Protein backbone atom coordinates (compact mmCIF):
# COMPACT_ATOMS: atom_id res chain seq x y z
CA UNK A 1 0.00 0.00 0.00
CA UNK A 2 1.25 3.48 -0.82
CA UNK A 3 0.52 4.84 2.66
CA UNK A 4 3.57 2.80 3.71
CA UNK A 5 5.83 4.36 1.08
CA UNK A 6 9.28 5.05 2.52
CA UNK A 7 11.63 7.98 2.20
CA UNK A 8 15.43 7.90 2.18
CA UNK A 9 15.90 10.67 4.74
CA UNK A 10 19.68 10.56 4.25
CA UNK A 11 19.13 12.42 0.98
CA UNK A 12 17.55 15.41 2.76
CA UNK A 13 19.69 18.51 2.59
CA UNK A 14 19.29 21.09 5.29
CA UNK A 15 19.34 24.86 4.89
CA UNK A 16 20.20 25.25 8.55
CA UNK A 17 23.64 26.05 9.96
CA UNK A 18 25.63 23.28 11.72
CA UNK A 19 27.07 25.05 14.76
CA UNK A 20 25.86 23.19 17.87
CA UNK A 21 28.25 21.11 19.99
CA UNK A 22 27.85 18.38 22.63
CA UNK A 23 27.54 20.91 25.48
CA UNK A 24 24.68 22.70 23.68
CA UNK A 25 22.83 19.38 23.29
CA UNK A 26 23.30 18.31 26.92
CA UNK A 27 21.89 21.65 28.11
CA UNK A 28 19.03 21.34 25.61
CA UNK A 29 18.15 17.94 27.10
CA UNK A 30 18.51 19.16 30.68
CA UNK A 31 16.44 22.24 29.87
CA UNK A 32 13.63 20.00 28.61
CA UNK A 33 13.69 17.39 31.37
CA UNK A 34 14.50 19.32 34.54
CA UNK A 35 11.45 21.46 35.18
CA UNK A 36 7.86 20.86 36.24
CA UNK A 37 8.60 17.24 37.14
CA UNK A 38 11.25 17.91 39.75
CA UNK A 39 9.70 21.06 41.24
CA UNK A 40 6.10 19.80 41.58
CA UNK A 41 5.40 16.21 40.55
CA UNK A 42 7.93 14.61 42.92
CA UNK A 43 5.88 15.75 45.92
CA UNK A 44 2.55 14.67 44.43
CA UNK A 45 4.04 11.32 43.37
CA UNK A 46 5.30 10.62 46.88
CA UNK A 47 2.07 11.69 48.60
CA UNK A 48 -0.45 9.97 46.33
CA UNK A 49 1.36 7.10 44.60
CA UNK A 50 4.49 5.60 46.15
CA UNK A 51 5.75 7.37 49.30
CA UNK A 52 9.56 7.43 49.67
CA UNK A 53 9.66 4.45 47.25
CA UNK A 54 9.02 7.00 44.52
CA UNK A 55 12.79 6.84 44.05
CA UNK A 56 12.26 3.28 42.73
CA UNK A 57 9.47 4.60 40.49
CA UNK A 58 11.95 7.12 39.09
CA UNK A 59 14.48 4.37 38.35
CA UNK A 60 11.80 2.27 36.57
CA UNK A 61 10.71 5.30 34.52
CA UNK A 62 14.37 6.06 33.75
CA UNK A 63 14.93 2.48 32.56
CA UNK A 64 11.87 2.73 30.29
CA UNK A 65 13.05 6.05 28.88
CA UNK A 66 16.68 4.86 28.77
CA UNK A 67 15.84 1.87 26.57
CA UNK A 68 14.04 4.17 24.14
CA UNK A 69 17.01 6.57 24.33
CA UNK A 70 19.26 3.75 23.07
CA UNK A 71 16.95 3.36 20.05
CA UNK A 72 17.09 7.11 19.47
CA UNK A 73 20.88 7.03 19.70
CA UNK A 74 21.20 4.30 17.05
CA UNK A 75 18.70 5.97 14.74
CA UNK A 76 20.43 9.36 15.15
CA UNK A 77 23.74 7.70 14.32
CA UNK A 78 22.49 5.73 11.29
CA UNK A 79 19.75 8.04 9.96
CA UNK A 80 20.82 11.57 10.98
CA UNK A 81 17.65 13.36 9.82
CA UNK A 82 15.67 16.16 11.46
CA UNK A 83 12.28 15.32 12.96
CA UNK A 84 13.33 12.68 15.47
CA UNK A 85 11.09 9.61 15.63
CA UNK A 86 9.04 10.97 12.71
CA UNK A 87 11.99 10.77 10.31
CA UNK A 88 13.20 7.45 11.69
CA UNK A 89 9.81 5.83 11.10
CA UNK A 90 9.55 7.41 7.63
CA UNK A 91 12.74 5.58 6.64
CA UNK A 92 11.76 2.22 8.19
CA UNK A 93 7.99 1.71 8.59
CA UNK A 94 6.70 4.15 5.97
CA UNK A 95 4.76 7.37 5.59
CA UNK A 96 1.52 6.78 7.53
CA UNK A 97 3.21 5.39 10.70
CA UNK A 98 5.71 8.28 10.45
CA UNK A 99 2.90 10.82 10.23
CA UNK A 100 1.12 9.33 13.26
CA UNK A 101 4.38 9.44 15.25
CA UNK A 102 4.86 13.04 14.14
CA UNK A 103 1.28 13.85 15.16
CA UNK A 104 1.78 12.32 18.63
CA UNK A 105 5.03 14.31 19.01
CA UNK A 106 3.16 17.51 18.09
CA UNK A 107 0.46 16.69 20.67
CA UNK A 108 3.09 15.90 23.31
CA UNK A 109 5.22 19.01 22.88
CA UNK A 110 2.31 21.40 22.25
CA UNK A 111 0.54 20.43 25.45
CA UNK A 112 3.86 20.32 27.32
CA UNK A 113 4.68 23.91 26.40
CA UNK A 114 1.15 24.98 27.33
CA UNK A 115 1.12 23.18 30.68
CA UNK A 116 4.54 24.49 31.73
CA UNK A 117 3.48 28.02 30.73
CA UNK A 118 0.36 27.60 32.88
CA UNK A 119 2.48 26.35 35.78
CA UNK A 120 4.81 29.33 35.37
CA UNK A 121 1.79 31.64 35.40
CA UNK A 122 0.55 30.06 38.64
CA UNK A 123 3.93 30.54 40.36
CA UNK A 124 4.06 34.19 39.25
CA UNK A 125 0.45 34.85 40.33
CA UNK A 126 1.32 33.52 43.78
CA UNK A 127 4.35 35.80 43.97
CA UNK A 128 2.35 38.84 42.80
CA UNK A 129 -0.46 38.03 45.22
CA UNK A 130 2.00 38.17 48.12
CA UNK A 131 2.45 41.83 47.15
CA UNK A 132 -1.35 42.28 46.83
CA UNK A 133 -1.16 42.47 43.03
CA UNK A 134 -3.95 40.65 41.22
CA UNK A 135 -4.99 40.67 37.57
CA UNK A 136 -8.61 41.39 36.57
CA UNK A 137 -10.78 38.24 36.76
CA UNK A 138 -11.40 38.28 33.00
CA UNK A 139 -7.62 37.94 32.38
CA UNK A 140 -6.85 35.62 35.28
CA UNK A 141 -8.18 32.22 34.24
CA UNK A 142 -8.93 29.87 31.36
CA UNK A 143 -12.16 30.28 29.38
CA UNK A 144 -15.07 30.04 31.83
CA UNK A 145 -17.71 32.80 31.30
CA UNK A 146 -19.76 31.61 34.29
CA UNK A 147 -16.87 32.67 36.54
CA UNK A 148 -16.10 35.78 34.50
CA UNK A 149 -12.74 34.52 33.18
CA UNK A 150 -11.95 34.48 29.46
CA UNK A 151 -8.20 34.15 29.07
CA UNK A 152 -5.23 33.36 31.29
CA UNK A 153 -2.97 36.26 30.32
CA UNK A 154 0.33 35.41 32.05
CA UNK A 155 0.87 32.02 30.31
CA UNK A 156 0.08 33.71 26.97
CA UNK A 157 2.72 36.36 27.65
CA UNK A 158 5.41 33.83 28.58
CA UNK A 159 4.74 31.80 25.42
CA UNK A 160 5.02 35.05 23.44
CA UNK A 161 8.40 35.71 25.09
CA UNK A 162 9.60 32.16 24.44
CA UNK A 163 8.52 32.30 20.78
CA UNK A 164 10.54 35.49 20.37
CA UNK A 165 13.63 33.85 21.92
CA UNK A 166 13.34 30.73 19.69
CA UNK A 167 13.03 32.96 16.61
CA UNK A 168 16.56 34.19 17.32
CA UNK A 169 19.62 32.42 15.97
CA UNK A 170 19.44 28.94 17.52
CA UNK A 171 22.90 29.31 19.07
CA UNK A 172 21.77 32.46 20.91
CA UNK A 173 18.49 30.84 22.00
CA UNK A 174 20.23 27.73 23.35
CA UNK A 175 22.95 29.76 25.10
CA UNK A 176 20.21 31.74 26.88
CA UNK A 177 18.56 28.41 27.72
CA UNK A 178 21.89 27.06 29.08
CA UNK A 179 22.32 30.03 31.43
CA UNK A 180 18.86 29.39 32.90
CA UNK A 181 19.63 25.67 33.26
CA UNK A 182 22.75 26.54 35.31
CA UNK A 183 20.57 28.67 37.63
CA UNK A 184 18.11 25.79 37.98
CA UNK A 185 20.90 23.38 38.95
CA UNK A 186 22.21 25.83 41.53
CA UNK A 187 18.80 25.77 43.22
CA UNK A 188 18.57 21.98 43.22
CA UNK A 189 22.17 21.62 44.44
CA UNK A 190 21.32 24.00 47.28
CA UNK A 191 18.26 21.91 48.17
CA UNK A 192 20.24 18.63 48.25
CA UNK A 193 23.18 20.04 50.27
CA UNK A 194 21.14 22.05 52.79
CA UNK A 195 18.41 19.41 53.01
CA UNK A 196 20.99 16.69 53.79
CA UNK A 197 21.61 18.28 57.20
CA UNK A 198 17.89 18.26 58.03
CA UNK A 199 17.07 14.65 57.18
CA UNK A 200 14.90 12.61 59.54
CA UNK A 201 15.52 8.90 58.80
CA UNK A 202 12.27 7.97 60.56
CA UNK A 203 10.41 9.52 57.60
CA UNK A 204 11.74 6.62 55.49
CA UNK A 205 10.65 3.92 58.01
CA UNK A 206 7.54 3.08 55.98
CA UNK A 207 9.47 3.19 52.72
CA UNK A 208 6.81 1.72 50.42
CA UNK A 209 3.40 2.48 52.00
CA UNK A 210 1.43 1.81 48.79
CA UNK A 211 3.33 -1.36 47.82
CA UNK A 212 4.59 -2.22 44.37
CA UNK A 213 1.17 -1.88 42.76
CA UNK A 214 0.03 -3.73 39.65
CA UNK A 215 2.03 -4.22 36.46
CA UNK A 216 -1.13 -3.49 34.44
CA UNK A 217 -4.06 -1.27 35.42
CA UNK A 218 -2.89 -0.10 38.85
CA UNK A 219 -3.87 3.20 40.46
CA UNK A 220 -1.30 3.43 43.28
CA UNK A 221 2.05 1.91 44.17
CA UNK A 222 5.53 2.01 42.68
CA UNK A 223 4.35 1.15 39.14
CA UNK A 224 1.67 3.87 39.18
CA UNK A 225 4.36 6.25 40.45
CA UNK A 226 6.56 5.24 37.52
CA UNK A 227 3.73 6.02 35.07
CA UNK A 228 3.49 9.51 36.62
CA UNK A 229 7.26 10.14 36.80
CA UNK A 230 7.61 9.18 33.14
CA UNK A 231 6.38 12.74 32.56
CA UNK A 232 9.52 14.04 34.27
CA UNK A 233 11.81 12.63 31.58
CA UNK A 234 9.89 13.89 28.57
CA UNK A 235 11.99 16.15 26.40
CA UNK A 236 15.11 13.97 26.02
CA UNK A 237 14.03 13.36 22.42
CA UNK A 238 14.34 17.08 21.69
CA UNK A 239 18.09 16.48 21.28
CA UNK A 240 17.61 14.31 18.19
CA UNK A 241 15.43 17.02 16.63
CA UNK A 242 18.40 19.41 16.48
CA UNK A 243 20.30 17.13 14.10
CA UNK A 244 20.38 19.62 11.19
CA UNK A 245 22.23 22.13 13.36
CA UNK A 246 24.72 19.77 15.05
CA UNK A 247 28.38 19.22 14.22
CA UNK A 248 29.11 15.51 13.61
CA UNK A 249 25.53 14.39 14.48
CA UNK A 250 26.31 10.64 14.28
CA UNK A 251 28.62 10.92 17.29
CA UNK A 252 27.34 14.01 19.09
CA UNK A 253 23.62 13.20 19.38
CA UNK A 254 23.97 9.73 21.02
CA UNK A 255 26.39 11.22 23.57
CA UNK A 256 24.04 14.14 24.25
CA UNK A 257 21.01 11.89 24.81
CA UNK A 258 22.71 9.38 27.10
CA UNK A 259 24.67 11.97 29.13
CA UNK A 260 21.69 14.24 29.82
CA UNK A 261 19.44 11.28 30.74
CA UNK A 262 22.02 9.91 33.19
CA UNK A 263 22.44 13.31 34.90
CA UNK A 264 18.67 13.78 35.22
CA UNK A 265 18.11 10.31 36.71
CA UNK A 266 20.74 10.88 39.43
CA UNK A 267 19.35 14.35 40.13
CA UNK A 268 15.71 13.20 40.41
CA UNK A 269 16.58 10.27 42.68
CA UNK A 270 18.69 12.51 44.96
CA UNK A 271 16.02 15.22 45.24
CA UNK A 272 13.29 12.64 45.98
CA UNK A 273 15.33 10.96 48.76
CA UNK A 274 16.10 14.30 50.41
CA UNK A 275 12.52 15.53 49.94
CA UNK A 276 10.94 12.49 51.63
CA UNK A 277 13.66 12.57 54.29
CA UNK A 278 12.95 16.15 55.34
CA UNK A 279 9.13 15.91 55.35
CA UNK A 280 6.86 12.87 55.77
CA UNK A 281 5.56 11.81 52.35
CA UNK A 282 1.91 12.27 53.42
CA UNK A 283 2.44 16.05 53.69
CA UNK A 284 3.95 16.51 50.22
CA UNK A 285 0.74 16.79 48.18
CA UNK A 286 1.56 20.41 47.28
CA UNK A 287 2.46 22.20 44.04
CA UNK A 288 5.76 23.59 45.36
CA UNK A 289 7.07 20.50 47.17
CA UNK A 290 10.77 21.42 47.12
CA UNK A 291 10.23 24.91 48.58
CA UNK A 292 7.57 23.57 50.99
CA UNK A 293 10.00 21.01 52.44
CA UNK A 294 12.60 23.69 53.12
CA UNK A 295 10.02 25.91 54.83
CA UNK A 296 9.00 22.98 57.04
CA UNK A 297 12.66 22.73 58.07
CA UNK A 298 12.70 26.45 58.92
CA UNK A 299 14.90 27.34 55.93
CA UNK A 300 12.75 30.13 54.53
CA UNK A 301 15.67 31.90 52.81
CA UNK A 302 16.49 28.75 50.81
CA UNK A 303 12.81 28.17 50.03
CA UNK A 304 12.43 31.71 48.69
CA UNK A 305 15.54 31.35 46.52
CA UNK A 306 14.28 28.08 45.03
CA UNK A 307 10.80 29.56 44.40
CA UNK A 308 12.28 32.51 42.50
CA UNK A 309 14.59 30.21 40.49
CA UNK A 310 11.64 27.94 39.70
CA UNK A 311 9.70 30.90 38.29
CA UNK A 312 12.65 31.95 36.15
CA UNK A 313 13.76 28.53 34.96
CA UNK A 314 10.46 26.90 34.04
CA UNK A 315 10.99 29.03 30.95
CA UNK A 316 13.83 26.67 29.92
CA UNK A 317 11.35 23.84 29.39
CA UNK A 318 9.23 26.08 27.18
CA UNK A 319 12.30 27.16 25.18
CA UNK A 320 13.63 23.62 24.67
CA UNK A 321 10.26 22.16 23.69
CA UNK A 322 9.21 25.08 21.46
CA UNK A 323 12.58 24.76 19.72
CA UNK A 324 12.13 21.01 19.20
CA UNK A 325 8.47 21.23 18.15
CA UNK A 326 9.14 23.96 15.58
CA UNK A 327 11.77 21.72 13.97
CA UNK A 328 9.39 18.75 13.94
CA UNK A 329 6.74 20.84 12.15
CA UNK A 330 9.50 22.06 9.78
CA UNK A 331 10.48 18.46 8.92
CA UNK A 332 6.90 17.27 8.39
CA UNK A 333 6.13 20.33 6.27
CA UNK A 334 9.26 19.76 4.18
CA UNK A 335 7.82 16.36 3.28
CA UNK A 336 4.49 17.91 2.26
CA UNK A 337 2.38 16.29 4.99
CA UNK A 338 1.73 19.80 6.35
CA UNK A 339 1.62 22.99 4.21
CA UNK A 340 5.10 23.68 2.86
CA UNK A 341 5.12 27.32 3.94
CA UNK A 342 6.02 25.96 7.39
CA UNK A 343 9.34 24.65 6.00
CA UNK A 344 10.58 28.14 5.07
CA UNK A 345 13.69 29.29 6.98
CA UNK A 346 14.89 32.86 7.46
CA UNK A 347 17.75 33.95 5.21
CA UNK A 348 19.90 35.42 7.96
CA UNK A 349 19.55 33.19 11.02
CA UNK A 350 18.34 30.02 9.21
CA UNK A 351 15.44 29.53 11.65
CA UNK A 352 12.10 27.92 10.59
CA UNK A 353 10.16 31.15 11.17
CA UNK A 354 6.64 30.11 10.11
CA UNK A 355 6.83 26.79 11.97
CA UNK A 356 7.97 28.60 15.13
CA UNK A 357 5.16 31.17 14.84
CA UNK A 358 2.58 28.39 14.33
CA UNK A 359 3.83 26.51 17.39
CA UNK A 360 3.87 29.70 19.48
CA UNK A 361 0.35 30.73 18.42
CA UNK A 362 -1.11 27.27 19.08
CA UNK A 363 0.61 27.09 22.49
CA UNK A 364 -0.75 30.52 23.42
CA UNK A 365 -4.31 29.40 22.66
CA UNK A 366 -3.93 26.16 24.64
CA UNK A 367 -2.28 27.86 27.63
CA UNK A 368 -4.59 30.87 27.71
CA UNK A 369 -8.00 29.37 26.92
CA UNK A 370 -8.10 25.65 27.77
CA UNK A 371 -7.80 24.18 31.30
CA UNK A 372 -4.97 21.64 31.47
CA UNK A 373 -5.71 19.73 34.67
CA UNK A 374 -4.98 16.18 33.45
CA UNK A 375 -2.35 17.17 30.90
CA UNK A 376 0.45 15.01 32.32
CA UNK A 377 -1.39 11.77 31.53
CA UNK A 378 -2.31 12.89 27.98
CA UNK A 379 1.31 13.88 27.37
CA UNK A 380 2.53 10.51 28.60
CA UNK A 381 0.11 8.37 26.62
CA UNK A 382 0.97 10.17 23.35
CA UNK A 383 4.68 9.72 24.05
CA UNK A 384 4.36 6.05 25.00
CA UNK A 385 2.40 5.40 21.80
CA UNK A 386 5.15 6.61 19.50
CA UNK A 387 7.89 5.00 21.63
CA UNK A 388 6.16 1.65 20.97
CA UNK A 389 6.29 2.47 17.25
CA UNK A 390 9.98 3.36 17.60
CA UNK A 391 10.69 -0.02 19.22
CA UNK A 392 9.05 -1.77 16.25
CA UNK A 393 11.05 0.46 13.89
CA UNK A 394 14.45 -0.45 15.40
CA UNK A 395 13.68 -4.15 14.82
CA UNK A 396 12.72 -3.35 11.21
CA UNK A 397 15.89 -1.26 10.73
CA UNK A 398 18.10 -4.19 11.79
CA UNK A 399 16.13 -6.58 9.58
CA UNK A 400 16.41 -4.36 6.49
CA UNK A 401 19.87 -2.81 6.91
CA UNK A 402 21.70 -5.17 9.25
CA UNK A 403 24.13 -4.23 12.01
CA UNK A 404 25.44 -0.65 12.40
CA UNK A 405 28.70 0.14 10.65
CA UNK A 406 31.97 0.91 12.43
CA UNK A 407 31.68 4.26 14.21
CA UNK A 408 27.87 4.13 14.41
CA UNK A 409 26.04 3.65 17.72
CA UNK A 410 24.80 0.10 18.33
CA UNK A 411 21.85 -0.73 20.61
CA UNK A 412 22.53 -4.05 22.40
CA UNK A 413 20.21 -7.05 22.63
CA UNK A 414 18.01 -6.55 19.55
CA UNK A 415 15.16 -7.67 19.40
CA UNK A 416 14.97 -8.42 23.15
CA UNK A 417 15.26 -4.79 24.31
CA UNK A 418 12.58 -3.46 21.91
CA UNK A 419 10.16 -6.18 23.07
CA UNK A 420 10.87 -5.29 26.74
CA UNK A 421 10.33 -1.62 25.86
CA UNK A 422 6.93 -2.37 24.30
CA UNK A 423 5.84 -4.37 27.37
CA UNK A 424 6.93 -1.58 29.76
CA UNK A 425 5.23 1.13 27.66
CA UNK A 426 1.96 -0.84 27.56
CA UNK A 427 2.17 -1.40 31.34
CA UNK A 428 2.59 2.34 31.93
CA UNK A 429 -0.24 3.20 29.50
CA UNK A 430 -2.59 0.86 31.34
CA UNK A 431 -2.24 2.91 34.54
CA UNK A 432 -4.08 5.91 33.04
CA UNK A 433 -7.72 6.94 33.52
CA UNK A 434 -10.52 6.31 31.00
CA UNK A 435 -10.82 10.03 30.17
CA UNK A 436 -7.16 10.04 29.13
CA UNK A 437 -7.76 7.14 26.76
CA UNK A 438 -10.79 8.94 25.28
CA UNK A 439 -8.71 12.09 24.67
CA UNK A 440 -5.99 9.94 23.10
CA UNK A 441 -8.51 8.19 20.83
CA UNK A 442 -10.02 11.52 19.70
CA UNK A 443 -6.59 12.99 18.93
CA UNK A 444 -5.67 9.82 17.00
CA UNK A 445 -8.81 10.09 14.85
CA UNK A 446 -8.02 13.76 14.13
CA UNK A 447 -4.47 12.80 13.12
CA UNK A 448 -5.74 10.07 10.77
CA UNK A 449 -8.22 12.48 9.14
CA UNK A 450 -5.55 15.14 8.56
CA UNK A 451 -3.32 12.58 6.83
CA UNK A 452 -5.98 11.22 4.49
CA UNK A 453 -7.59 14.60 3.73
CA UNK A 454 -4.36 16.57 3.22
CA UNK A 455 -1.06 14.74 3.82
CA UNK A 456 -1.52 11.74 1.53
CA UNK A 457 -2.32 13.97 -1.47
CA UNK A 458 0.43 16.55 -0.87
CA UNK A 459 3.28 14.23 0.11
CA UNK A 460 6.48 15.08 -1.78
CA UNK A 461 6.98 11.36 -2.43
CA UNK A 462 3.73 11.19 -4.44
CA UNK A 463 4.99 14.07 -6.56
CA UNK A 464 8.24 12.30 -7.50
Amino acid sequence: MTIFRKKNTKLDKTEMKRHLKIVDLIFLGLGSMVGTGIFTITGIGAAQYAGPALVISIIIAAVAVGISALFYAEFASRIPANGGAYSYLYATLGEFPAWMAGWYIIMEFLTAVSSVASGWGSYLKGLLLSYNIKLPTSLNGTFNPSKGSYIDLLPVLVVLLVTGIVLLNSKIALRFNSSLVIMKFSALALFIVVGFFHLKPENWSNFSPFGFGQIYGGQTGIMAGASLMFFAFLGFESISMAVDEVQEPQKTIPKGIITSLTIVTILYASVTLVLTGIVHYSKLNVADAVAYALRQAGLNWAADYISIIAILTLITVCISMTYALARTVYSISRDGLLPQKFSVVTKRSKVPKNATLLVGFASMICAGVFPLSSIAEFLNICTLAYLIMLAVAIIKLRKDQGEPKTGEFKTPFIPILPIISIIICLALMSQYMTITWIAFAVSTVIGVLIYFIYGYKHSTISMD
Side-chain angles (χ1 to χ4, degrees), residues 23-32 174 177 238-239 242 320 323:
V23 174
D24 297 305
L25 293 189
I26 291 173
F27 275 102
L28 175 63
L30 296 178
S32 296
L174 293 188
N177 178 67
S238 62
I239 294 173
S320 298
Y323 172 90

Side-chain angles (χ1 to χ4, degrees), residues 120 123-124 127 306-315:
W120 178 90
Y123 268 102
L124 187 55
L127 184 64
I306 285 174
S307 295
I308 292 169
I309 293 297
I311 291 170
L312 289 174
T313 58
L314 281 176
I315 296 174

Side-chain angles (χ1 to χ4, degrees), residues 314-328:
L314 281 176
I315 296 174
T316 64
V317 183
C318 290
I319 293 173
S320 298
M321 292 196 168
T322 300
Y323 172 90
L325 180 53
R327 278 140 186 85
T328 300

Side-chain angles (χ1 to χ4, degrees), residues 5-17:
R5 53 199 173 195
K6 298 177 184 177
K7 181 180 180 184
N8 184 355
T9 52
K10 290 183 179 180
L11 299 178
D12 285 345
K13 292 184 178 180
T14 181
E15 299 176 70
M16 297 185 188
K17 184 179 179 182

Side-chain angles (χ1 to χ4, degrees), residues 2 8 11 16 38 62 80 86 92 118 127 174 194 229 231 246 275 295 319 329 332 360 375 388 419 453 462-463:
T2 52
N8 184 355
L11 299 178
M16 297 185 188
I38 202 161
Y86 161 76
T92 51
S118 295
L127 184 64
L174 293 188
V194 173
M229 293 311 298
F231 172 82
V246 176
L275 186 66
R295 288 195 179 95
I319 293 173
V329 172
I332 296 173
I375 202 66
I388 288 173
I419 293 171
I453 292 172
S462 66
M463 298 175 187

